[in-house]
Amino acid sequence: LDVRHAHERPKSSAPLLCPFARVIVDMSDIETLRFLTPETARQAIEIAGSPCYAYDLETFKAQATNALAFPNAYGLTVRFAMKSCPNAAVLKLFHSMGLHFDCSSIHEVKRAMAAGVPVENCSLSSQELPEGFEEYVAKGLKVNCCSLLQLEKFCAKCPGKELGLRFNPGVGSGGTGKTNVGGPSSSFGIWHENSAKCADMAKAASCKVVRVHTHIGSGSDPAVWRQTTSISINLCSAFPDVATLNLGGGYKVGRMATEKGTTLATDCSVVQEVFSDFAAKDGRKLALEIEPGTYLSANSGALVCTVHDIVQTGTDQGHTFIKLDSGMTEVLRPSLYGSQHPIIIVPSDPARSSKRKNYVVCGHCCESGDLMTPAPGEPETLAERSLCEAAPGDICVVEGSGAYCSAMATKNYNSFPEAGEVMIAGGKAHLIRKRQKVEDIWANEVPLPAGTY
């Protein structure tokens, strides 16, 4: 067993002949199916094809209910970070439960509206403030300006209107550097030391700053939560009209059985305390907004795919590889972050259910980085998993694939079609997105004029 990070392992003088290092991880606790059963997994493939995404209605509901009970002192709005899982069926479910929506582009605003979400229930916090945003502001869209230039544009296009300001509070927390969206290494938000300048700009345009928004990143260290909440709420002091503080998302979810997730009722109770302390000193009872995405959807979804092939590399340093009919085209997180997802083999022959073998699981792309079992946090390091003995044709379920998988995959790489999606409700799989026709991949291509070649 050697699970040390690359910089901790002894360096070898031998030349590196492969872009991947080797780690063997003996996982004694075999992961099991969560909301799926072998029957519903097969049913999902029957109606949506392999690979497909399967979501669970009851898990979505349970997570949303927990989020709606987030500790707060003076009122709460839960905004689903729809970039994590934007299927219309999910948006409609959360809308029916009273959630509002955090949109990261004007296209997401349009997508939410198409699903029946009123525009006034949408909040736009974007790296790119689009042309024509003022038309949506006039209809009720809430905009959080995320840079001084965005604030300048808002004041020019929407004088006298209410707005929010997204600040970088100077600290952040994240599972990896790539998921940390606060602090000096992050481009997200207006640097907190520019708050006085923002106040002057808004006042000159007769605009009211009614919301302050911050987001420290995915991970959630409780000590950092207290620090950033205090910094964020103190920013409100510069804006007398602020009535709402939005703390973004970043609630840790344990995908693997060995990982600990955030318990909102206890881990985030410090937020309520900070709001109460601010009210005692300032006199304002600020409402709270939060923007969970991963928390609501990560473990509400799974990728259902098929074992396509099994190959071996016949040396002492070799592996047995499971090749799936899926990969980074559906779940990019392992290749991008070294993220860990539970992987469960559903054998076609039940006699193999008790047999175990170590495998490296990889995807179907002609891409060396298409890896489903990297070492934790190390996307370039192979790690073996102890799984049920597999055979071509077996179903493979990749759990924890409800957030930032369908929405963030390298779809159409190698010209693989976009996977279908199903919702498990009442013990049955219901189709909520058809598998893409392969012809649709090139449908928008336009030929050059005749004689150009």
Side-chain angles (χ1 to χ4, degrees):
L1 175 66
D2 188 354
V3 295
R4 290 173 289 177
H5 291 289
H7 69 275
E8 297 173 320
R9 293 193 291 268
K11 295 184 181 297
S12 171
S13 58
L16 183 63
L17 302 179
C18 172
F20 294 104
R22 184 174 192 263
V23 173
I24 299 176
V25 180
D26 179 16
M27 301 181 68
S28 56
D29 293 328
I30 304 298
E31 297 276 359
T32 58
L33 294 175
R34 296 179 181 175
F35 61 86
L36 286 167
T37 65
E39 291 73 24
T40 53
R42 282 190 282 269
Q43 190 181 123
I45 289 177
E46 287 173 3
I47 67 172
S50 179
C52 67
Y53 301 94
Y55 304 107
D56 185 56
L57 189 73
E58 294 306 316
T59 306
F60 274 131
K61 286 182 176 180
Q63 292 301 93
T65 299
N66 289 339
L68 288 166
F70 191 99
N72 68 92
Y74 309 111
L76 172 71
T77 298
V78 178
R79 295 189 179 278
F80 174 50
M82 63 175 285
K83 63 180 178 289
S84 64
C85 188
N87 187 288
V90 177
L91 303 183
K92 289 178 179 180
L93 169 64
F94 286 152
H95 175 52
S96 74
M97 297 182 70
L99 275 68
H100 290 207
F101 296 85
D102 161 47
C103 304
S104 295
S105 73
I106 199 66
H107 307 296
E108 287 193 342
V109 174
K110 294 175 182 178
R111 190 171 186 174
M113 293 173 66
V117 177
V119 68
E120 59 268 23
N121 287 8
C122 297
S123 173
L124 177 65
S125 302
S126 179
Q127 288 284 75
E128 174 186 324
L129 191 63
E131 293 295 326
F133 73 89
E134 65 275 11
E135 299 172 13
Y136 290 87
V137 172
K139 296 176 182 178
L141 174 67
K142 297 171 177 62
V143 171
N144 295 317
C145 295
C146 300
S147 71
L148 292 175
L149 179 58
Q150 288 190 16
L151 177 56
E152 180 182 319
K153 289 181 177 180
F154 187 96
C155 290
K157 295 285 188 178
C158 303
K161 295 287 187 178
E162 294 182 348
L163 73 145
L165 295 175
R166 176 171 178 170
F167 284 102
N168 181 333
V171 294
S173 177
T176 73
K178 293 179 181 178
T179 58
N180 189 335
V181 291
S185 297
S186 171
S187 70
F188 292 90
I190 302 167
W191 188 247
H192 61 97
E193 293 174 337
N194 288 321
S195 60
K197 184 174 183 179
C198 291
D200 290 341
M201 292 172 67
K203 183 177 180 180
S206 299
C207 290
K208 280 189 176 182
V209 179
V210 296
R211 294 178 306 281
V212 164
H213 180 294
T214 61
H215 184 38
I216 65 171
S218 305
S220 296
D221 179 336
V224 175
W225 267 110
R226 177 181 288 277
Q227 182 186 11
T228 194
T229 302
S230 298
I231 292 173
S232 301
I233 209 163
N234 288 336
L235 285 167
C236 298
S237 300
F239 305 96
D241 296 312
V242 165
T244 301
L245 175 60
N246 186 317
L247 292 177
Y251 311 103
K252 173 67 177 176
V253 167
R255 288 178 171 85
M256 303 293 288
T258 55
E259 294 176 343
K260 182 182 181 298
T262 301
T263 303
L264 300 185
T266 54
D267 296 346
C268 300
S269 60
V270 61
V271 173
Q272 184 175 2
E273 297 171 13
V274 174
F275 273 62
S276 297
D277 291 345
F278 180 81
K281 290 184 291 186
D282 183 273
R284 277 183 287 173
K285 296 180 177 180
L286 299 180
L288 170 65
E289 290 187 353
I290 58 172
E291 296 173 347
T294 297
Y295 182 85
L296 295 178
S297 54
N299 289 331
S300 301
L303 173 70
V304 185
C305 55
T306 304
V307 175
H308 180 71
D309 200 354
I310 297 177
V311 301
Q312 293 180 322
T313 49
T315 71
D316 291 341
Q317 295 299 310
H319 304 276
T320 301
F321 292 87
I322 290 177
K323 294 183 179 182
L324 303 175
D325 67 350
S326 180
M328 63 194 299
T329 46
E330 284 72 42
V331 179
L332 179 61
R333 300 180 71 256
S335 297
L336 188 61
Y337 305 133
S339 299
Q340 304 297 294
H341 286 258
I343 296 177
I344 300 95
I345 300 297
V346 180
S348 55
D349 179 3
R352 284 188 278 111
S353 297
S354 60
K355 297 180 180 180
R356 297 287 178 263
K357 192 169 182 178
N358 287 343
Y359 296 99
V360 171
V361 183
C362 59
H364 57 176
C365 289
C366 186
E367 180 67 48
S368 60
D370 192 3
L371 177 65
M372 302 297 281
T373 57
E378 297 185 49
E380 295 187 358
T381 302
L382 298 177
E384 294 183 350
R385 294 277 187 94
S386 178
L387 303 173
C388 170
E389 185 178 295
D394 287 347
I395 291 174
C396 178
V397 175
V398 182
E399 293 281 6
S401 300
Y404 301 101
C405 289
S406 173
M408 199 180 74
T410 58
K411 60 186 67 173
N412 296 161
Y413 185 49
N414 287 182
S415 294
F416 286 111
E418 182 180 43
E421 298 183 336
V422 303
M423 182 75 77
I424 307 298
K428 294 184 178 180
H430 302 269
L431 187 67
I432 59 173
R433 187 179 73 191
K434 298 178 182 178
R435 180 176 176 84
Q436 183 185 31
K437 295 179 179 179
V438 68
E439 295 83 3
D440 289 343
I441 296 175
W442 58 82
N444 292 332
E445 295 176 4
V446 179
L448 287 168
T452 300
Y453 298 106

